[in-house]
C-alpha cells in the first residue's frame, strides 16, 4: 500500500504543471541582440587573418591613426561576434550577460578585453553597449562570456498599464490543453473570463477589481 501511495505522489508531483510552465504571454518576450567587435590584450592566442587586420586598421582610422595593414603583425587581437538576450521590460542602465565567439583563427580569447561593441536588434537599432574582460568557456577557448558585460541603452516600448486582457500562447499546439486552461481559469474566478480562441491561444479578461500584474501572477 505504501508503495502505491509513494508512486501516486511521485506521478502527481511529476505531472504537476502551472500555466506558466506551458505557455507564454503574447507581447512579453525576450529579444536577441548581436554585434561585431574586437578583442585585444591576448597573450599571442589571437588571429592574424586579413579580415582581422583590416578591422584593426578601420578601428585605428576612427581614432585618426593611419597605418597600412601590411605593417600590422600581431596575434594579440581577435575579431568576434557578440550576442545577448534582451529581457522583457529591460530598462536603461540594466546590465546583461553577453556571449563572445571568435570568427577568425584565434586559439583562445580567454582574458582578452572586448572593446566597446554596439549590440543591435533585428530592426537594426542599437539597444546595448558591450565591453569588458572575457572568461573563456571550459571546453572551448574560442568562445566565452562576460557577466554584466553589456549596458542597456535603449528600451523596447511595451507596457501592461491599462491592459484589460492578456493572451496566452501554449508552447505546444494542443486542443485538450487549451480547453483545460480555459476551464481552470474560469473555475478559479467563477466567471467566464477565459476563452480558447484556437488550439493554442487563450484570451483572458482581467477582473475589474485586480491589477494587471497581480492578475498575471495568479493566472500563471
Amino acid at each position: 500500500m505504501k508503495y502505491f501511495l509513494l508512486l501516486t505522489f511521485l506521478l502527481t508531483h511529476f505531472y504537476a504543471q502551472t500555466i506558466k510552465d506551458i505557455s507564454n504571454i503574447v507581447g512579453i518576450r525576450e529579444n536577441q541582440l548581436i554585434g561585431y567587435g574586437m578583442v585585444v590584450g591576448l597573450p599571442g592566442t589571437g588571429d592574424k587573418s586579413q579580415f582581422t587586420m583590416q578591422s584593426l586598421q578601420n578601428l585605428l582610422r576612427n581614432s585618426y591613426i593611419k597605418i597600412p595593414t601590411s605593417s600590422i603583425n600581431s596575434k594579440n587581437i581577435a575579431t568576434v561576434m557578440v550576442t545577448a538576450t534582451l529581457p522583457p521590460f529591460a530598462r536603461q542602465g540594466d546590465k546583461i550577460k553577453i556571449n563572445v565567439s571568435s570568427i577568425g583563427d584565434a586559439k583562445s580569447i580567454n582574458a582578452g578585453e572586448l572593446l566597446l561593441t554596439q549590440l543591435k536588434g533585428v530592426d537594426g537599432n542599437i539597444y546595448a553597449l558591450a565591453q569588458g574582460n572575457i572568461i573563456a568557456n571550459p571546453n572551448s577557448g574560442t568562445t566565452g562570456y562576460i557577466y554584466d558585460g553589456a549596458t542597456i541603452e535603449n528600451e523596447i516600448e511595451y507596457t501592461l498599464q491599462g491592459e484589460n486582457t492578456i493572451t496566452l500562447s501554449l508552447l505546444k499546439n494542443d486542443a485538450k490543453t487549451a480547453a483545460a486552461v480555459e476551464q481552470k481559469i474560469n473555475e478559479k474566478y467563477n466567471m467566464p473570463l477565459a476563452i480558447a480562441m484556437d488550439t493554442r491561444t487563450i484570451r483572458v479578461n482581467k477582473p475589474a477589481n485586480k491589477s494587471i500584474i497581480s492578475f498575471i501572477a495568479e493566472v500563471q
Side-chain angles (χ1 to χ4, degrees):
M1 181 65 177
K2 64 179 181 180
Y3 294 109
F4 174 75
L5 293 175
L6 177 61
L7 180 60
T8 301
F9 170 78
L10 291 175
L11 288 174
T12 302
H13 179 73
F14 179 77
Y15 286 107
Q17 288 182 309
T18 65
I19 290 179
K20 183 178 181 179
D21 295 328
I22 61 173
S23 69
N24 292 318
I25 297 177
V26 175
I28 302 178
R29 51 161 292 180
E30 297 176 337
N31 287 274
Q32 303 305 310
L33 304 178
I34 190 169
Y36 165 79
M38 290 202 66
V39 176
V40 298
L42 297 171
T45 59
D47 63 72
K48 297 175 69 174
S49 65
Q50 184 63 31
F51 178 70
T52 298
M53 298 304 110
Q54 185 64 55
S55 298
L56 177 60
Q57 183 187 49
N58 294 339
L59 179 66
L60 294 174
R61 185 179 295 131
N62 290 336
S63 299
Y64 303 102
I65 300 174
K66 294 184 179 181
I67 183 172
T69 55
S70 58
S71 64
I72 302 174
N73 185 22
S74 172
K75 294 199 72 174
N76 297 335
I77 60 176
T79 49
V80 294
M81 296 304 297
V82 183
T83 59
T85 299
L86 182 66
F89 307 116
R91 300 306 181 197
Q92 287 184 352
D94 288 354
K95 302 286 187 179
I96 56 174
K97 177 185 175 182
I98 61 172
N99 296 304
V100 186
S101 302
S102 170
I103 57 176
D105 58 357
K107 295 180 179 179
S108 175
I109 57 173
N110 187 49
E113 173 79 12
L114 174 69
L115 299 181
L116 191 65
T117 302
Q118 298 176 343
L119 298 183
K120 300 180 179 180
V122 294
D123 57 3
N125 293 325
I126 299 170
Y127 289 98
L129 296 177
Q131 185 170 284
N133 292 315
I134 300 169
I135 301 173
N137 292 315
N139 299 324
S140 175
T142 57
T143 63
Y145 57 90
I146 307 175
Y147 280 114
D148 296 337
T151 303
I152 304 301
E153 297 295 328
N154 292 300
E155 304 171 2
I156 294 179
E157 293 297 331
Y158 182 77
T159 180
L160 289 170
Q161 188 175 3
E163 293 290 335
N164 293 315
T165 63
I166 60 172
T167 302
L168 302 175
S169 177
L170 298 179
L171 301 182
K172 294 180 66 176
N173 188 15
D174 183 69
K176 185 176 180 179
T177 303
V181 170
E182 176 190 73
Q183 179 182 353
K184 289 297 182 182
I185 294 174
N186 290 338
E187 286 179 353
K188 175 177 176 57
Y189 293 98
N190 195 30
M191 61 180 76
L193 298 178
I195 180 171
M197 308 299 293
D198 51 44
T199 57
R200 193 168 188 172
T201 310
I202 302 98
R203 188 179 65 196
V204 189
N205 295 315
K206 179 184 72 67
N209 62 340
K210 289 189 175 294
S211 71
I212 187 66
I213 299 302
S214 63
F215 179 58
I216 289 174
E218 289 181 357
V219 169
Q220 288 187 327

